[in-house]
Amino acid sequence: MPRHHEDEFEMKTAFAIGALSVLVFIAAPAQPYLWRNVVIGGGGFVTGLLAHPGARGLLYARTDVGGAYRWDAASRKWVPLTDWVRGIDFTGIESFAVDPSDTNRIYLAAGIYRQTRAAILRSTDRGQTWQVTQVPFKMGGNELGRFNGERLAVDPEDGKILFFGSRHDGLWKSADYGATWFRVDAFPQPTAKAPSSDADADGWRGRFNFPPQEVGIVFVQFAPRDGRDGIPTLTIYAGVSTTSTNLFRSDDGGLHWSPVPGQPLGLRPNHAVLSPDGTIYLTYGKQAGPNTMTDGKVWKFNPQNNLWTDITPLKSPDGDQPFGYGAISVDAENPPAIVVTTFARWHPHDDIFRSTNGGASWMPLLQNAVWDYSFAPYTRNRTPHWMGSVQIDPFDSNHVWFTTGYGVWESKDLTDADAGKPTHWDFCDNGLEETVPLALISPPAGAHLLSGLGDIDGFRHDDLDASPAGGTFAGPHFGNTEDLAFAAQNPAIIVRTGLGGNGSAHGAISRDGGTHWSAFPGEPPDSRGGGTIAVSADGKTIVWTLRGDAPQYSDDGGANWSACAGLSPGLRVVADPMNPLRFYGFNSRDDKIFASTNGAESFSETGAAVALENDPPGYGFGTGGLAATPGREGDLWLAMRDGGLFHSADGGVNFTKLRNVEIADAIGFGRAADGTDFPALYLSGKVGGVAGTFRSTDAGASWMRINDDAHQFGAITRLTGDPRIFGRVYLATSGRGVIYGDPAK
């Protein structure tokens, strides 16, 4: 069999050497920074939970875009394990596994999309340090079926052996703790038509196509047995996300595979769990989820007699169920006790069902549940959904967790339900900040930070270390708040754009620093929502570029809108911070700069295209583009990912390229250093051959790296300094929420 072993390298969460290397390439000394999350409390899809069967309180969580975490039971806080990752490739965790015989080993299958790199990350110290092996099989940590699993499994009898079920490339095996991998060619591969019935499957030895969703092999399970340590497990199960034959078994350690007889057809399996008594429980839906799932079922299989039993908790009268079933967990201390979650049951709500007799009867848990929203008040207005994982504590039958599309809930009185009592649930998300910030502003007055977020609207942050007491923005609610801007000379006036959520409003204005919001009295014709927004220095003119449309301006508080003459669709406009009549725009398609001196009624080219024509316009992961320097009229910065960083002091007529900046993903401004009059610059990009986050106190003449290799936080899409606190910077990440940094004292 072909064996694959790409160049292997070691990643660690402490990088003294990396910090020193900055000093070699950057003239100014690096300054240590303290990095913390701006506390929101969850906000993203936690796709899996995994409790180690051999260590009380040792729990791991994986997310679709925000990496992996370990629960610290002593501090009751989640510890991020993948902040050393730079870029998005390894921020989506496809699957994870622990070695049941070693409480220190943890493995992550990391790869966010089929188009990005994929790797197996392995640690022997509970995620404090990592070794990385890039692999040829592709993953989809943020694709369909991302909560299915687990695809990755460690042999409980021989910890050197791992199996991984891929989406597109079949089944893979490692025999050296995940360092090298080879394809298991005996497992059915996605190259021919799937069988359509059990009769076909009984004598089937062919190959089949994965479904168009290409979710592939969704779980691998080693069968429990009374064996000797070091002797590999012989019986292994693997499930494939297809409505045809989908459950396979090997009785010789993976050398040969055959369909499990009598298995139900017509639905896709998404989770399987093996009980200590040998019973296998499986959940099904017609779709892989999470966007939708219908026709759910729960089955159990007894390998001793090949008996299948339908134990579905809730069935609609006509058999047409508008929801599926997702996660399932067995009580290790009392194997007949199990819990299972519904999935995509929007009406009336998703639920957890509990059985104490192996699925013969069930009781719902959440209908009379008591919820504690105090840690993250915004959750009060949310119903648990996308319940992708559920885990009974292997050391405590009363203790259970489940995940949602916005975080983790925990109960410590699970068995009270057996006596008809309500269960109590706390939002167990301290430290697990998985949001995708789309906009950040730090005004010179009022709250130090306002954030616009994907899926959960946005917040005014009066206290960076506590989830806002009032929840999300008070006023029109957007699913996504896509952009924010404040009037530089009247910062109580703030505008924002949004998409989705309740109501039809797509834009809103606040006149009290973001405490209260009102929808714009009017919107441009055929408004599709979202997009970017700017507001003049005095707050009287608003310029809005809706998705796919040309910029429009309003000079009456958003009641009426007119096209900005001279600008093409999709162009982002920024306001001059001093002169309310001046606005600027950059067209990345032809590298042209535009300016307006009449309150955005019309724009004309500045003639700066010649200086930029040899630089590619791509921005990479950052927002890049044009930014105006606070407190200075006509002072502009242009961040172009591959083109670098450019500066203009004359309103965009002439630009100078900063030769010391190779990549500029995002640029922001903060309070000037003592003794200087130019705002501090903050940059996410590459300077002197080093990728990281940087600060300049001399208008870009020199740069100091302020992060280290342990604090890369994935991809930094935008950043801004604080105009009132020198050295403070806010980072918008691609899935680790909002991070803020201060110089270490």
Side-chain angles (χ1 to χ4, degrees):
M1 297 181 187
R3 184 176 289 267
H4 175 80
H5 183 194
E6 288 194 1
D7 290 342
E8 180 187 339
F9 55 96
E10 186 172 6
M11 288 286 189
K12 295 190 175 181
T13 58
F15 287 89
I17 294 177
L20 290 174
S21 68
V22 177
L23 301 180
V24 173
F25 295 103
I26 302 172
Q31 179 174 6
Y33 256 62
L34 175 64
W35 298 99
R36 291 166 287 189
N37 265 106
V38 174
V39 176
I40 293 168
F45 189 16
V46 182
T47 49
L49 293 173
L50 183 60
H52 199 290
R56 182 184 291 270
L58 182 54
L59 179 72
Y60 295 93
R62 63 179 173 95
T63 70
D64 54 358
V65 297
Y69 295 78
R70 183 186 67 247
W71 177 247
D72 183 82
S75 64
R76 289 196 53 78
K77 187 173 184 178
W78 293 97
V79 178
L81 302 180
T82 47
D83 282 352
W84 52 268
V85 171
R86 183 169 180 84
I88 68 168
D89 292 25
F90 301 155
T91 60
I93 308 302
E94 178 83 286
S95 186
F96 54 2
V98 295
D99 185 340
S101 63
D102 186 339
T103 60
N104 291 317
R105 286 188 183 271
I106 171 74
Y107 298 88
L108 304 179
I112 192 168
Y113 297 117
R114 183 175 184 174
Q115 296 82 4
T116 59
R117 295 178 302 157
I120 299 296
L121 317 181
R122 57 198 194 280
S123 173
T124 58
D125 53 15
R126 302 187 181 187
Q128 295 184 63
T129 62
W130 294 93
Q131 291 180 308
V132 180
T133 297
Q134 295 193 43
V135 292
F137 41 86
K138 296 300 183 179
M139 301 183 194
N142 193 36
E143 295 183 5
L144 293 177
R146 54 190 177 270
F147 67 97
N148 292 187
E150 291 292 331
R151 302 169 181 270
L152 187 62
V154 181
D155 189 336
E157 305 295 341
D158 186 348
K160 297 190 301 295
I161 296 175
L162 292 85
F163 279 85
F164 178 77
S166 72
R167 291 174 173 266
H168 319 284
D169 307 300
L171 184 67
W172 291 74
K173 178 181 179 180
S174 172
D176 57 5
Y177 297 102
T180 61
W181 292 83
F182 61 87
R183 191 195 305 270
V184 181
D185 288 335
F187 194 84
Q189 302 297 332
T191 56
K193 186 177 180 180
S196 58
S197 69
D198 272 336
D200 293 334
D202 286 341
W204 180 58
R205 295 293 182 268
R207 300 172 182 270
F208 60 86
N209 286 320
F210 283 160
Q213 296 184 73
E214 293 191 281
V215 181
I217 302 168
V218 292
F219 60 78
V220 178
Q221 285 277 2
F222 289 90
R225 69 180 179 89
D226 294 325
R228 293 172 296 167
D229 290 343
I231 305 300
T233 301
L234 295 178
T235 301
I236 311 169
Y237 293 88
V240 182
S241 183
T242 176
T243 57
S244 299
T245 302
N246 50 53
L247 184 63
F248 297 85
R249 180 172 63 201
S250 172
D251 292 314
D252 56 10
L255 295 177
H256 302 89
W257 295 83
S258 59
V260 174
Q263 62 183 273
L265 301 176
L267 298 175
R268 302 170 186 265
N270 58 70
H271 281 81
V273 61
L274 274 68
S275 171
D277 64 13
T279 304
I280 304 173
Y281 295 94
L282 301 101
T283 57
Y284 294 85
K286 197 168 187 177
Q287 300 82 16
N291 299 325
T292 186
M293 190 185 291
T294 60
D295 302 327
K297 292 280 188 179
V298 183
W299 287 80
K300 72 176 181 180
F301 173 63
N302 185 344
Q304 302 301 317
N305 55 16
N306 287 331
L307 178 64
W308 286 86
T309 305
D310 183 349
I311 58 170
T312 307
L314 180 65
K315 304 174 184 178
S316 57
D318 60 358
D320 182 19
Q321 299 177 69
F323 62 91
Y325 283 91
I328 190 164
S329 183
V330 175
D331 186 342
E333 295 187 323
N334 181 23
I338 54 177
V339 290
V340 66
T341 69
T342 63
F343 201 91
R345 186 183 181 225
W346 300 105
H347 303 288
H349 56 76
D350 267 313
D351 212 331
I352 299 176
F353 287 90
R354 171 172 165 82
S355 174
T356 58
N357 52 18
S361 61
W362 298 87
M363 67 189 78
L365 297 183
L366 303 187
Q367 293 182 7
N368 299 312
V370 179
W371 305 92
D372 184 347
Y373 304 107
S374 58
F375 175 72
Y378 81 91
T379 62
R380 183 178 298 277
N381 298 319
R382 295 182 173 269
T383 301
H385 66 281
W386 282 17
M387 297 165 68
S389 185
V390 65
Q391 178 74 66
I392 300 174
D393 189 332
F395 296 91
D396 184 354
S397 297
N398 262 322
H399 193 190
V400 63
W401 304 268
F402 73 86
T403 69
T404 69
Y406 58 92
V408 182
W409 288 92
E410 172 192 45
S411 174
K412 293 185 177 180
D413 57 7
L414 175 63
T415 61
D416 281 5
D418 302 342
K421 299 178 182 179
T423 51
H424 295 75
W425 299 88
D426 297 321
F427 194 53
C428 182
D429 237 65
N430 187 14
L432 203 166
E433 296 287 351
E434 190 216 358
T435 53
V436 178
L438 305 176
L440 293 179
I441 57 171
S442 183
H448 280 259
L449 180 70
L450 289 89
S451 65
L453 304 167
D455 296 332
I456 59 171
D457 197 8
F459 297 88
R460 173 187 159 118
H461 302 275
D462 294 289
D463 180 352
L464 300 180
D465 300 321
S467 187
T472 56
F473 287 136
H477 175 71
F478 303 149
N480 295 347
T481 288
E482 297 193 345
D483 202 13
L484 286 157
F486 63 88
Q489 302 303 313
N490 190 1
I493 297 177
I494 305 175
V495 292
R496 66 185 175 108
T497 64
L499 193 67
N502 60 342
S504 59
H506 300 113
I509 186 169
S510 172
R511 300 185 183 278
D512 58 7
T515 302
H516 302 91
W517 295 85
S518 300
F520 289 145
E523 292 192 0
D526 302 320
S527 172
R528 284 171 282 181
T532 62
I533 199 161
V535 60
S536 61
D538 60 4
K540 295 180 180 179
T541 303
I542 305 167
V543 182
W544 188 1
T545 304
L546 290 101
R547 286 191 173 188
D549 291 343
Q552 307 247 342
Y553 76 95
S554 172
D555 56 12
D556 57 7
N560 297 282
W561 298 85
S562 302
C564 299
L567 295 183
S568 57
L571 191 147
R572 187 178 195 272
V573 173
V574 297
D576 190 280
M578 301 301 291
N579 188 336
L581 296 179
R582 298 185 72 169
F583 292 85
Y584 311 94
F586 171 61
N587 190 330
S588 63
R589 289 180 290 274
D590 55 15
D591 293 344
K592 292 182 178 179
I593 303 293
F594 296 82
S596 171
T597 57
N598 57 8
E601 289 184 25
S602 62
F603 285 75
S604 58
E605 293 182 32
T606 66
V610 173
L612 309 177
E613 62 184 1
N614 295 323
D615 296 289
Y619 292 160
F621 299 123
T623 52
L626 205 59
T629 306
R632 291 176 174 256
E633 183 174 348
D635 199 273
L636 303 174
W637 295 81
L638 179 62
M640 302 176 70
R641 173 173 171 79
D642 296 317
L645 185 63
F646 299 81
H647 180 220
S648 172
D650 58 8
V653 176
N654 297 284
F655 274 87
T656 300
K657 183 172 182 176
L658 277 71
R659 298 299 172 184
N660 54 3
V661 177
E662 298 146 57
I663 291 177
D665 286 321
I667 186 78
F669 310 93
R671 180 181 176 89
D674 290 345
T676 67
D677 61 358
F678 199 93
L681 295 176
Y682 295 92
L683 173 76
S684 175
K686 182 181 284 188
V687 177
V690 177
T693 304
F694 303 87
R695 188 184 75 207
S696 173
T697 57
D698 54 11
S702 62
W703 296 88
M704 175 171 56
R705 188 183 183 191
I706 59 175
N707 77 324
D708 54 54
D709 289 348
H711 298 92
Q712 298 280 22
F713 306 116
I716 306 303
T717 58
R718 64 188 69 212
L719 47 72
T720 183
D722 192 306
R724 287 170 275 177
I725 303 175
F726 171 70
R728 175 169 291 179
V729 62
Y730 305 98
L731 311 179
T733 73
S734 56
R736 270 285 282 121
V738 182
I739 303 288
Y740 75 102
D742 288 310
K745 296 180 180 179

